[in-house]
Amino acid sequence: YNVREGRIRTSLAANAVYERGITSVVEINMRNLARWADGVYDNNLLTGTNAVSANIGGDDGYIVYISDRRGDKVRAERIGAANVNMTNGLVDNEDIYGPNNTLDPGEDVIDAGADGSGNPKKGRLQKDPTELPDPAQFSNSGANWPERVARANAVAAYSSSYFRRAVRLFNGEDMVFSGGANKLSATRGLTIATENMVYIWGNYNTTGVNCQPSAGSTLNIPTEPCRYFGDQVPASIVSDAFTPLSKTWFDAFSAILPDNLNLRVADLSTTGTPPMIDLMTSVRAGIISGNNLSALSGSPDAENGDESRLSGGIHNFPRFLENWGPDSRRWNYVGALIPLYHSTQALGPYNTGAAIYSPPIRNWAFDDSFRDPSRLPPGTPLFQYIEPTGFKQVVN
């Protein structure tokens, strides 16, 4: 359960689970995916198929694309000058402020169309509550623990027909096996791309850091005293939105008491006094993802005070769900953050409410290895430019 996607207004009832926030998840065990790429399964699970490692490699690594459109309704979409019946990969309920059945500033996430003809849905409220409902409580629970646990179990067993889909990456701390030719290695990487939301659970592509310098952030440079450790592959994630989850995230607690941050304490078992930074969740990857559409003022809003219509800025580009505040917990990140578009599936607004928002100390830095073209993640967008260094005029 994602409280940010569920409780979209502060005035909604606390500690309730809202159907729109229940997220169906496709999980990928990144260690097993790396085993597949390395050929570990060629002679057993994949024997006799064409999905063996020799047939899936690219020159610079692997791109895995996931599209989960269950619950995405078929409707007429404009392709050039024609209308085509199709699923569109968008959550067609933009009515997040209120909701009030009116297109308010900050809600119109449909773009104008890249073909130059424009999109007839731009400037119109897209609202289909059968695809994503307005806030309605999934289930009430009493004050006692067994009733809350029963609700969490009901959420876990819930088969959602709504379009609320995500991909969760876990067990991704080490994605190198042999490191041999044409295998995942320091110069042959892995990109996960999806039109859905992404959750990164625990360490990803690094075993962690040893310290944070007194000034600045931990860099991914081997000669630095504070640095990132473990095997690393060129890695990136492309998604509608992304949410980091610490090593000790526990699904049930998000539905037992959704607004109790003390049940969602990040890296709970890895903290001491002071916190042990070397054991805290660390991620090394380039991130291309979406953010919320901002509108500077207006009513109704998300009831967050002055920030109620903002996206939260780049420091809230990762959509934190846990309590990172106690004991100065950190989320260690090295890579490149690229907010390239507005999210069209993760529509829950940025919310600074005390029950939802408790960000970490941001130990963030650009990954120096991305300066080396041989260590860029596969599929990295590239451009070339010509720099004039001199010219002369020739008269015939």
Side-chain angles (χ1 to χ4, degrees):
Y1 176 69
N2 185 321
V3 65
R4 174 171 168 164
E5 292 296 321
R7 191 183 178 196
I8 59 175
R9 296 197 319 275
T10 304
S11 61
L12 293 174
N15 288 320
V17 167
Y18 295 90
E19 248 183 329
R20 62 176 290 127
I22 299 175
T23 310
S24 296
V25 172
V26 173
E27 286 196 315
I28 300 179
N29 185 322
M30 299 303 297
R31 184 73 171 165
N32 281 342
L33 182 63
R35 287 187 175 98
W36 177 35
D38 213 77
V40 172
Y41 299 133
D42 285 357
N43 296 321
N44 41 56
L45 295 179
L46 302 176
T47 185
T49 76
N50 289 323
V52 294
S53 58
N55 295 333
I56 61 174
D59 292 337
D60 57 354
Y62 307 87
I63 299 175
V64 178
Y65 174 65
I66 307 103
S67 175
D68 186 350
R69 292 194 179 186
R70 289 172 293 174
D72 189 12
K73 306 297 184 182
V74 175
R75 61 191 76 247
E77 296 295 334
R78 192 155 183 101
I79 306 295
N83 288 328
V84 180
N85 290 327
M86 57 181 288
T87 59
N88 59 16
L90 313 175
V91 168
D92 292 298
N93 187 352
E94 300 173 314
D95 196 7
I96 58 173
Y97 295 129
N100 61 357
N101 299 313
T102 300
L103 184 65
D104 297 305
E107 290 182 334
D108 196 9
V109 298
I110 303 293
D111 66 27
D115 58 7
S117 63
N119 190 318
K121 296 184 177 182
K122 185 70 176 176
R124 296 173 50 199
L125 178 68
Q126 304 306 305
K127 182 160 185 176
D128 183 353
T130 69
E131 190 165 295
L132 186 69
D134 290 336
Q137 292 188 31
F138 169 69
S139 174
N140 290 313
S141 69
N144 64 69
W145 189 260
E147 290 174 321
R148 294 168 180 165
V149 171
R151 179 176 64 184
N153 289 335
V155 169
Y158 179 64
S159 179
S160 173
S161 61
Y162 298 116
F163 185 34
R164 170 61 73 230
R165 307 292 166 178
V167 176
R168 182 157 67 180
L169 312 178
F170 74 102
N171 199 20
E173 184 173 87
D174 187 354
M175 292 181 280
V176 175
F177 277 85
S178 66
N182 301 322
K183 307 299 182 183
L184 288 171
S185 66
T187 56
R188 190 176 178 87
L190 177 64
T191 290
I192 301 293
T194 177
E195 59 191 35
N196 304 116
M197 299 179 284
V198 159
Y199 295 90
I200 308 172
W201 190 2
N203 284 353
Y204 192 84
N205 200 29
T206 179
T207 57
V209 304
N210 62 333
C211 61
Q212 180 176 358
S214 56
S217 300
T218 306
L219 303 178
N220 192 34
I221 300 176
T223 56
E224 290 289 318
C226 293
R227 59 192 184 276
Y228 283 76
F229 288 92
D231 291 326
Q232 298 176 6
V233 303
S236 66
I237 296 167
V238 185
S239 63
D240 180 74
F242 85 101
T243 297
L245 301 174
S246 78
K247 297 175 183 177
T248 60
W249 169 267
F250 186 57
D251 283 337
F253 282 162
S254 67
I256 289 175
L257 277 177
D259 297 317
N260 188 337
L261 277 171
N262 291 327
L263 282 182
R264 301 199 309 275
V265 176
D267 286 329
L268 180 61
S269 63
T270 61
T271 56
T273 306
M276 296 176 285
I277 188 173
D278 57 317
L279 297 179
M280 291 197 171
T281 301
S282 303
V283 170
R284 180 201 172 260
I287 305 288
I288 298 176
S289 198
N291 61 3
N292 289 115
L293 181 63
S294 294
L296 293 180
S297 63
S299 180
D301 56 26
E303 302 165 341
N304 295 316
D306 293 339
E307 297 186 275
S308 196
R309 283 181 174 267
L310 300 179
S311 69
I314 194 67
H315 57 295
N316 290 297
F317 181 48
R319 305 189 184 195
F320 297 108
L321 293 179
E322 295 171 272
N323 184 0
W324 297 82
D327 304 322
S328 302
R329 289 170 172 81
R330 292 163 171 80
W331 184 59
N332 305 314
Y333 172 77
V334 66
L337 297 176
I338 306 172
L340 202 58
Y341 37 80
H342 296 305
S343 300
T344 59
Q345 294 188 17
L347 300 182
Y350 168 57
N351 197 321
T352 59
I356 298 174
Y357 181 74
S358 179
I361 290 178
R362 298 168 178 88
N363 182 26
W364 298 359
F366 175 75
D367 191 341
D368 195 71
S369 72
F370 288 167
R371 301 179 190 275
D372 181 349
S374 70
R375 298 196 63 188
L376 288 174
T380 298
L382 301 174
F383 70 93
Q384 294 179 326
Y385 72 97
I386 299 175
E387 181 178 351
T389 57
F391 67 91
K392 67 177 181 179
Q393 184 178 20
V394 177
V395 179
N396 291 327

